[in-house]
Amino acid sequence: MEFLIRAAEILHPDSPLHKSTKDVLISNGKIHRIADRIEFDGQVISADGLKLSIGWFDMRAHYNDPGFEHKEDIDSGTRTALSGGFTDVALLPNTNPVVNTKNGVSYYQKHNKLSPVNLHPIAAVTIDCQGKELTEMIDLHHAGAIAFSDGLKTIWHTDILLKALQYLQKFDGLLINRPEDQHLTAFGHMNEGQVSTVLGLKGMPALSESVMIQRDLKLLDYAGGKIHFSLVSTKESVELIKAAKADGLKVTCDVGVNYLKFTEQDLEDYDTNLKVNPPYRLEEDRQALIEAVLDGTIDAVVSDHNPHDEEGKKLEFDLADFGSANQQSFYSVISAILGDKLDQVMSNFTSNPREILGIEVPKIEEGADACLTLFSPKKHWTFNSQTNNSKSVASPVFGNTLEGVVIGTINKGELHLNNYED
């Protein structure tokens, strides 16, 4: 397969080509030539405002496969990832069975052989993600687990988290924790505050997150190792992590893309597609998260793709499941929030996740394997049943016309183009 990418602005800070506009010729899965102008008679890809980066990496997604394929499966998840611009996805272990055995890890590796998307399994820290007994993390590491986390669940047991930090140092493994004191959030449905009071819903206090981050940072300082906080949602969390980095602790963090857009005020209509955990917080928290992305305190922006079927969402708000389908709309949401500043922080979903997880970062240079994402901030598309690739429609932006389009991806010698009409 040979094709030409015409007049694309290259966004890759590690490359001398960063911010330059070039023609890029792809041949047999490799970047064959990069030049100002290339004459070519074959397939040409062009678009108004076309940009090109290394393939995007989603550090947090849940495909529910095996066990909950009615919500999403690997095939539909892979199509969703491609349409969202992702060549690589790290998957949560909260399946049935839980990814806490070598067979669980190999399940995804089998799919990788034929898939244009690289699936990176995150293995459970504790057996069945129950927080009571450690898994065989060394065996899981050798089997191919990319990191260790209880995924949707918090590692609530203090001694378990301490031992996990110590255990993972044997092979420089990464512990990922979603910080939440579940005793403080029990039976909660949204952020605790004035809006939850008006709506008559039990709230989930911001304190539940900061308390857990403080605990984990104390344990990290005591035991050593490295920890990644997933889905930070409050201003105080950002301040705690920024201070820990300044103190030299090996700590990184991510934020879900929708937390840069929504606040508790958006829940006033009881839209269950906005019921997520952690919940959307205050406007001052949202602004702090955006600033933390821009100043580098937050290392990665993730989709937090957690799809549900209608039976889990078309319910009274207090009965609905937490989570929404966010992977396909990722670029449109982050592009709308950050605008021209997005070019400055592309590393949050390109190189940073790979570096955090110890994965080689692709290159944009002649002779390199082509692992690329093509996109345009100027084009529009409508997110509806015709364009949606997920099994789930539980998205807060479903049905909207969005600005910012993923043109396509190139990975493993395959070209995938989205056919959105502008």
Side-chain angles (χ1 to χ4, degrees):
M1 177 182 286
E2 193 172 51
F3 55 91
L4 181 72
I5 303 167
R6 176 74 74 196
E9 182 184 6
I10 296 173
L11 297 178
H12 187 38
D14 296 333
S15 168
L17 299 171
H18 181 54
K19 301 290 284 186
S20 64
T21 298
K22 300 288 184 180
D23 285 0
V24 180
L25 180 62
I26 307 296
S27 181
N28 297 321
K30 291 187 177 292
I31 301 174
H32 181 68
R33 188 181 172 203
I34 303 174
D36 291 335
R37 179 74 182 182
I38 300 173
E39 297 301 326
F40 184 69
D41 294 331
Q43 181 181 8
V44 176
I45 301 168
S46 63
D48 184 27
L50 182 62
K51 296 175 183 283
L52 177 154
S53 73
I54 62 173
W56 296 352
F57 196 117
D58 189 356
M59 202 173 166
R60 184 184 178 91
H62 189 27
Y63 285 171
N64 292 283
D65 185 351
F68 307 103
E69 292 90 344
H70 58 288
K71 298 183 178 184
E72 196 83 285
D73 59 36
I74 288 180
D75 290 338
S76 64
T78 296
R79 291 193 299 270
T80 303
L82 288 173
S83 56
F86 296 101
T87 60
D88 293 75
V89 180
L91 293 176
L92 299 182
N94 310 92
T95 49
N96 186 20
V98 170
V99 183
N100 53 204
T101 66
K102 291 187 287 186
N103 286 339
V105 173
S106 65
Y107 179 75
Y108 300 102
Q109 294 173 330
K110 292 175 183 176
H111 286 272
N112 276 338
K113 295 178 181 179
L114 299 175
S115 172
V117 176
N118 302 309
L119 303 178
H120 303 277
I122 299 172
V125 173
T126 66
I127 294 175
D128 294 332
C129 294
Q130 294 298 311
K132 298 177 181 179
E133 186 177 354
L134 289 173
T135 58
E136 296 293 337
M137 287 186 282
I138 290 179
D139 288 345
L140 291 166
H141 166 69
H142 289 306
I146 198 67
F148 296 85
S149 173
D150 278 356
L152 300 174
K153 298 184 178 181
T154 299
I155 304 171
W156 56 269
H157 196 303
T158 305
D159 189 51
I160 288 290
L161 189 129
L162 174 63
K163 285 184 168 58
L165 283 169
Q166 296 170 327
Y167 197 77
L168 288 169
Q169 291 178 59
K170 297 179 184 295
F171 53 89
D172 195 31
L174 177 68
L175 179 68
I176 301 175
N177 197 20
R178 187 180 67 78
E180 176 191 7
D181 187 319
Q182 295 172 324
H183 296 289
L184 293 175
T185 60
F187 309 111
H189 303 286
M190 63 173 295
N191 184 56
E192 181 184 82
Q194 182 178 350
V195 177
S196 66
T197 301
V198 170
L199 297 181
L201 295 170
K202 187 176 188 307
M204 305 165 76
L207 177 68
S208 65
E209 183 171 298
S210 57
V211 163
M212 189 61 71
I213 288 177
Q214 288 175 317
R215 181 205 72 165
D216 290 2
L217 290 175
K218 286 287 187 182
L219 293 173
L220 180 66
D221 186 38
Y222 175 79
K226 55 186 180 182
I227 193 167
H228 179 89
F229 292 113
S230 193
L231 299 186
V232 295
S233 67
T234 74
K235 180 180 179 180
E236 185 176 0
S237 296
V238 168
E239 292 170 348
L240 289 168
I241 291 168
K242 188 172 186 176
K245 288 184 173 186
D247 289 341
L249 293 180
K250 293 181 179 180
V251 55
T252 53
C253 66
D254 67 56
V255 64
V257 66
N258 283 357
Y259 293 85
L260 306 179
K261 177 178 177 63
F262 297 108
T263 69
E264 63 174 9
Q265 296 288 337
D266 294 297
L267 277 70
E268 290 180 343
D269 292 332
Y270 296 95
D271 183 355
T272 59
N273 293 323
L274 291 165
K275 183 178 180 180
V276 292
N277 189 14
Y280 298 125
R281 306 285 188 185
L282 304 175
E283 175 63 16
E284 67 180 68
D285 294 307
R286 188 182 77 88
Q287 291 295 336
L289 294 172
I290 293 173
E291 182 60 34
V293 170
L294 294 173
D295 70 17
T297 302
I298 290 177
D299 304 274
V301 181
V302 301
S303 74
D304 188 32
H305 183 70
N306 185 12
H308 292 285
D309 59 356
E310 289 190 357
E311 291 184 0
K313 281 296 188 179
K314 285 197 172 181
L315 299 165
E316 293 85 351
F317 195 91
D318 59 338
L319 299 177
D321 291 331
F322 289 101
S324 59
N326 312 318
Q327 203 165 55
Q328 190 166 345
S329 58
F330 175 91
Y331 174 61
S332 297
V333 172
I334 194 170
S335 179
I337 299 302
L338 297 182
D340 293 340
K341 295 180 180 179
L342 179 58
D343 291 356
Q344 306 170 23
V345 295
M346 291 290 297
S347 58
N348 278 266
F349 48 96
T350 55
S351 57
N352 283 4
R354 291 178 168 94
E355 291 171 355
I356 291 169
L357 294 168
I359 297 172
E360 183 178 0
V361 178
K363 297 179 180 180
I364 299 179
E365 61 183 28
E366 293 181 354
D369 290 334
C371 178
L372 305 170
T373 298
L374 307 171
F375 53 102
S376 170
K378 296 184 178 181
K379 294 177 70 67
H380 296 76
W381 66 294
T382 301
F383 190 21
N384 56 26
S385 56
Q386 284 72 46
T387 56
N388 181 35
N389 282 295
S390 173
K391 287 186 175 182
S392 174
V393 298
S395 163
V397 296
F398 192 81
N400 295 350
T401 296
L402 305 172
E403 185 176 21
V405 170
V406 173
I407 305 298
T409 59
I410 305 152
N411 192 36
K412 296 184 179 180
E414 292 190 31
L415 169 66
H416 172 88
L417 294 176
N418 293 321
N419 296 314
Y420 300 138
E421 294 185 7
D422 201 344

